[in-house]
Amino acid sequence: MLEERRAGDVGVWFVGARGSVATTAVAGCAAVAAGLRPPTGMVTETPPFAASGLPALTSLVFGGHDTAACPLPKRAEELTAAGVLPHGLADAVRGELTAADAEIRPGGPSAGDTRTDDALIASFTSDITGFTRRHHLSRTVVINVASTESAPGPDDPRPAPSSLYAAAALRAGCPYVNFTPSTGLRTTALTEAFAARGLPHAGRDGKTGQTLLRSVLAPMFVQRALSVRAWSGTNLLGGGDGAALADPAAAAAKNAGKERVLTDTLGHTPQGEVHIDDVPALGDWKTAWDHIAFDGFLGSRMVLQTIWQGCDSALAAPLVLDLARLVARAHEAGLSGPLPGLGFYFKDPDGGPAALADQYAALLAFAARLRDAR
Ligand SMILES: NC(=O)c1ccc[n+]([C@@H]2O[C@H](COP(=O)([O-])OP(=O)(O)OC[C@H]3O[C@@H](n4cnc5c(N)ncnc54)[C@H](O)[C@@H]3O)[C@@H](O)[C@H]2O)c1
């Protein structure tokens, strides 16, 4: 039986609400809140965040937009069959999945959609404000976890769909998180408008695997005065993300973020490229292989190779829940504009340091700032 909603509950509005990451986040939040599973992977459940005034997991209410129609309990069954969710969990949290499913509205623009940009923004805004009012929520955080788009070119007649959703978040007065490499609010007009409206935002592109490792290893080479000559990477993955990233234009947006951490940390861009191959048989399991060629003392040539094998949605979902809580609390504390203290979570962050250890220190300082805020 679902609990009655209380004043002060916080809305989490997913753009891409029927995707693997969103479904895993809704199911995982319910499972952890009910004590069925430990909060492994949730940084906000560790001691440094205990006094930061973050909303409780039991206070999060989920809804969102999606262009697909598959009901959330069915998506959770699919994720169970694929080994992403443990057996029995989807049944145990069916009530929460059904409740979130009832709050998912059709996204856009779909094929043949003749609505103008403004009409789409107005419709998305009304869906978000209706959700916030219906559940008497203190605030709603809009989080983009939709399929990665190709970056719009300068001659594109329309803004990217992710920017229409960001504009709707702005109009609805909601803080915003972009967990994808899509444009979202990274346009001058939207970024300025968020700051002017006093809304906090964070992005972009969650750092869950290969780039996480890069942000740890690149500082090691710098600190040990080893010269990185080339850094090449290949990713094999399936699932919806694998299919979306098979489009070279969508993959280009992702790869730019993966390279940025190297350029920012090493001070130069080493030779080498990143490739993403769609292998549907792998489903949500990603293999990321990195090959790093570096020089040691007297020019001695050496190589480090790493292989990361991770379940993409299981890595991403706890971070999405962390971000929902942190950004909701930042909004409550009156913070606005970009939140560089959250660079720990992103491949292409809004300022702040590039090395993971420094980003973690910045996150702890951010947690302390939230603790000391009213
Ligand atoms: N480790 C990770 O999983 C990870 C890390 C970083 C970033 N991301 C990003 O998170 C996003 C989601 O990943 P996923 O594995 O859940 O993908 P997915 O394909 O399972 O889900 C994406 C969802 O977005 C929906 N969608 C597409 N266009 C839409 C639109 N215009 N409006 C509303 N909904 C729309 C799709 O119908 C789908 O349900 C991707 O952009 C991915 O690059 C994931």
Side-chain angles (χ1 to χ4, degrees):
M1 193 70 174
L2 290 174
E3 282 177 46
E4 285 249 323
R5 288 289 157 211
R6 297 161 301 245
D9 283 352
V10 167
V12 181
W13 188 266
F14 286 131
V15 180
R18 300 190 189 283
S20 302
V21 172
T23 307
T24 307
V26 173
C29 182
V32 174
L36 300 175
R37 291 275 152 178
T40 313
M42 284 195 68
V43 181
T44 52
E45 284 291 302
T46 59
F49 297 84
S52 295
L54 304 182
L57 290 177
T58 48
S59 76
L60 302 184
V61 186
F62 295 95
H65 284 115
D66 205 302
T67 45
C70 182
L72 272 199
K74 176 96 183 114
R75 281 293 287 125
E77 279 168 27
E78 290 170 0
L79 290 170
T80 307
V84 178
L85 295 179
H87 280 284
L89 190 124
D91 276 342
V93 300
R94 181 168 287 273
E96 286 83 351
L97 289 166
T98 305
D101 192 70
E103 291 297 347
I104 300 178
R105 299 290 176 267
S110 320
D113 201 331
T114 53
R115 287 175 291 176
T116 62
D117 293 342
D118 201 61
L120 281 164
I121 296 169
S123 162
F124 297 156
T125 307
S126 138
D127 291 337
I128 298 167
T129 49
F131 167 74
T132 307
R133 285 204 194 106
R134 221 167 20 258
H135 292 279
H136 310 289
L137 303 171
S138 55
R139 68 202 82 249
T140 295
V141 181
V142 174
I143 305 186
N144 182 18
V145 282
S147 318
T148 298
E149 310 159 345
S150 359
D155 300 328
D156 274 342
R158 297 190 75 167
S162 59
S163 297
L164 301 178
Y165 287 110
L170 171 72
R171 228 181 255 184
C174 297
Y176 173 82
V177 176
N178 189 0
F179 200 76
T180 82
S182 304
T183 309
L185 63 60
R186 285 269 179 102
T187 70
T188 311
L190 279 171
T191 307
E192 286 175 3
F194 264 77
R197 182 90 195 256
L199 293 171
H201 58 86
R204 69 179 169 177
D205 200 6
K207 182 164 66 187
T208 56
Q210 185 175 49
T211 316
L212 180 68
L213 215 51
R214 287 177 166 213
S215 66
V216 174
L217 290 175
M220 176 193 77
F221 287 105
V222 173
Q223 288 158 7
R224 275 295 170 99
L226 297 168
S227 169
V228 174
R229 287 182 292 114
W231 199 313
S232 315
T234 289
N235 295 272
L236 311 177
L237 82 157
D241 205 20
L245 295 171
D247 170 9
K254 189 75 136 188
N255 291 340
K258 286 176 185 278
E259 276 170 16
R260 182 180 157 187
V261 65
L262 298 184
T263 306
D264 287 356
T265 311
L266 301 175
H268 71 280
T269 308
Q271 283 177 18
E273 291 180 2
V274 183
H275 296 273
I276 302 179
D277 290 355
D278 178 28
V279 185
L282 295 184
D284 225 39
W285 261 263
K286 177 156 74 183
T287 296
W289 173 64
D290 264 14
H291 181 285
I292 307 150
F294 63 100
D295 283 348
F297 195 45
L298 310 180
S300 148
R301 301 210 149 185
M302 298 181 230
V303 166
L304 168 68
Q305 295 185 51
T306 62
I307 302 171
W308 171 279
Q309 289 181 292
C311 175
D312 247 4
S313 300
L315 289 161
L319 307 187
V320 165
L321 294 172
D322 277 352
L323 286 163
R325 303 172 86 188
L326 289 161
V327 174
R329 174 70 182 122
H331 186 230
E332 181 186 46
L335 305 185
S336 73
L339 302 173
L342 299 184
F344 179 72
Y345 290 98
F346 297 107
K347 291 189 190 77
D348 183 16
D350 295 310
L356 193 75
D358 299 334
Q359 291 177 332
Y360 183 62
L363 179 66
L364 294 186
F366 184 74
R369 190 171 169 202
L370 295 180
R371 184 192 61 218
D372 298 338
R374 65 190 157 75

